[in-house]
Amino acid sequence: MQRLRDVGAKSGSSGIEMITLENGAVIKSLHSLALRREPHAIWYCLYGEKGMGESGRLKEGVDRISTFLNNQFITYDPKPLIENELTKKLDSGHSGSDFYPMYYFIKKIMGEDEGNNSIDIYEALDMWMPGHFAYKSVCNNNIPFAIPNMRNKQERVIFRNDTWCTDSKAANGNLAPVYSKGTPTIPQEVYDKVRNMYLRKN
């Protein structure tokens, strides 16, 4: 936690999401920035009654996928949909995935719809809301929250005026803390120190 404070970060050191799906399956998602060290491990795994799948770890790389299904164990390395000099230049450490949202967004507004490679507002909300409601739970003594289906007008209208967020300009009096234990105060000299470190490196 102190490592984050030393560079002016106001967030917590780690977080967890526990989500129960409609079919009763449970998803656990752990996230930690402060505990991360190089080389760091990003690991995804799914286990079910009929099989399992998981990504590689450490030197194997998160891109490597291993599956066990129908008594067969298969490991493979998915190839990028697009691979050129631009994708290499824009790779910021997320296995090149930072390139794709902008690429397909531009394609979409240019009228070049490429089918399943773009998402609509509802899919975007599906991806965002679990984290939002997990944090809302943390800030409310860990009580469970139902994640609404925004395609359903009856569920959507309940949140029409919900402005709970960490942006003071948008919260309209319903400001969320940037850290579950309260928004910390960071002295200006911390930011000055980080800026000077950046200027020395560049």
Side-chain angles (χ1 to χ4, degrees):
M1 194 65 187
Q2 190 55 46
R3 283 199 319 126
L4 288 174
R5 295 290 178 267
D6 288 344
V7 294
K10 296 182 177 181
S11 62
S13 59
S14 59
I16 182 172
E17 299 167 356
M18 299 288 289
I19 303 168
T20 303
L21 304 182
E22 290 178 350
N23 64 0
V26 176
I27 294 175
K28 177 178 73 173
S29 183
L30 296 167
H31 311 265
S32 178
L33 184 62
L35 304 178
R36 189 173 116 175
R37 292 289 188 275
E38 298 293 345
H40 60 277
I42 302 173
W43 180 50
Y44 303 96
C45 64
L46 292 171
Y47 290 91
E49 294 177 354
K50 297 180 180 179
M52 54 77 68
E54 64 178 45
S55 65
R57 301 197 201 190
L58 296 175
K59 291 182 180 179
E60 290 179 329
V62 71
D63 296 336
R64 177 173 292 182
I65 307 296
S66 298
T67 62
F68 184 76
L69 188 65
N70 298 324
N71 291 320
Q72 285 189 309
F73 184 80
I74 302 172
T75 296
Y76 60 99
D77 293 299
K79 299 300 178 189
L81 291 173
I82 302 168
E83 195 168 23
N84 54 38
E85 289 303 313
L86 184 59
T87 59
K88 294 174 184 175
K89 191 179 293 185
L90 296 178
D91 182 4
S92 65
H94 294 120
S95 299
S97 63
D98 290 344
F99 167 82
Y100 293 99
M102 186 56 68
Y103 174 83
Y104 288 114
F105 173 74
I106 292 171
K107 286 282 189 181
K108 190 77 172 181
I109 62 176
M110 291 178 67
E112 300 176 22
D113 189 357
E114 300 201 16
N116 294 331
N117 292 321
S118 59
I119 65 173
D120 60 19
I121 183 62
Y122 296 112
E123 287 177 283
L125 286 168
D126 288 342
M127 296 175 188
W128 168 75
M129 285 192 300
H132 174 76
F133 282 96
Y135 186 56
K136 202 164 191 175
S137 172
V138 169
C139 293
N140 288 273
N141 297 315
N142 300 316
I143 62 172
F145 279 89
I147 299 174
N149 177 4
M150 291 300 184
R151 297 167 182 80
N152 184 323
K153 187 176 181 179
Q154 290 179 324
E155 295 184 45
R156 186 171 68 238
V157 72
I158 297 171
F159 295 92
R160 182 173 297 279
N161 298 311
D162 186 352
T163 57
W164 190 79
C165 68
T166 58
D167 185 345
S168 58
K169 295 178 181 177
N172 194 27
N174 197 14
L175 188 65
V178 298
Y179 174 43
S180 61
K181 295 182 179 178
T183 301
T185 301
I186 307 294
Q188 182 59 41
E189 53 262 30
V190 172
Y191 297 113
D192 294 338
K193 177 183 174 182
V194 172
R195 182 176 184 274
N196 289 332
M197 289 169 60
Y198 171 78
L199 293 174
R200 283 196 297 272
K201 284 183 179 179
N202 296 280

